[in-house]
Amino acid sequence: MQQFYRAGDLISPSLAIIIPFICCWASPVPWLFLSWPKKVKNQSKLGVGLGIIYIIGLATMLLSDGVPALIIAIICCGFCSGACISFSMALFDLHTKNAADTSALSGLAQSVGYLLAAIGPIALGKIYDVCHSWTMPLVLLLILALVLTVLGYLAGREKIINN
């Protein structure tokens, strides 16, 4: 993230203020989203809502400059990064019938998720190295946020997954 902010010519004091916002918004949100999906019958709207907030944050980061717009973008993206992990964990329990199915689904999804999380920063860094701009990595993240929105809708439907 620091490279992104430095590439936008934000001064160092701005970085010192902005970077803690990511942690402040990403850390407490998972506690909210552990119980919230259980309170609604169909979680599709929550999945779509999270995707839209991510899209707003990434689009703001891509299209705006300056610290105020960046703070809004970080609040949106930080909120969603915390909420999406809890939302997905809640869905494992809500859409399976027994502990064995929950465990199998969770293991599969987390394996894929952590693999993507490990590859993502390296791939985006390589794209930045080739393009010398953060535009293409952010466009790719916007596309992935659109995919996340569709998958959030599909995963949130009232459906029990067996085996």
Side-chain angles (χ1 to χ4, degrees):
M1 274 306 226
Q2 288 181 343
Q3 289 296 98
F4 174 73
Y5 301 132
R6 286 192 183 123
D9 293 328
L10 293 176
I11 56 174
S12 195
S14 298
L15 283 175
I17 293 169
I18 290 172
I19 291 180
F21 269 123
I22 296 169
C23 295
C24 289
W25 282 95
S27 298
V29 172
W31 298 106
L32 170 70
F33 266 85
L34 280 175
S35 61
W36 197 8
K38 295 176 184 177
K39 295 178 181 177
V40 295
K41 192 171 183 177
N42 185 331
Q43 295 83 25
S44 288
K45 290 178 185 175
L46 289 175
V48 170
L50 288 174
I52 289 171
I53 294 170
Y54 240 139
I55 290 167
I56 290 168
L58 290 167
T60 302
M61 210 177 285
L62 180 65
L63 301 173
S64 302
D65 56 352
V67 175
L70 211 46
I71 290 173
I72 291 168
I74 288 171
I75 289 171
C76 290
C77 292
F79 174 84
C80 284
S81 67
C84 284
I85 188 73
S86 292
F87 180 65
S88 66
M89 295 295 168
L91 290 179
F92 297 147
D93 182 45
L94 292 170
H95 293 282
T96 54
K97 285 186 178 182
N98 55 50
D101 288 346
T102 302
S103 176
L105 180 61
S106 176
L108 172 70
Q110 288 186 56
S111 297
V112 172
Y114 285 118
L115 178 64
L116 292 174
I119 294 170
I122 296 167
L124 293 177
K126 286 292 184 187
I127 294 169
Y128 172 78
D129 288 343
V130 170
C131 298
H132 302 290
S133 167
W134 284 106
T135 302
M136 283 307 298
L138 285 173
V139 168
L140 179 61
L141 287 174
L142 270 168
I143 292 167
L144 291 174
L146 286 169
V147 171
L148 176 85
T149 305
V150 172
L151 293 177
Y153 171 79
L154 294 174
R157 291 180 300 171
E158 251 186 282
K159 186 176 180 181
I160 299 295
I161 298 169
N162 294 344
N163 300 325

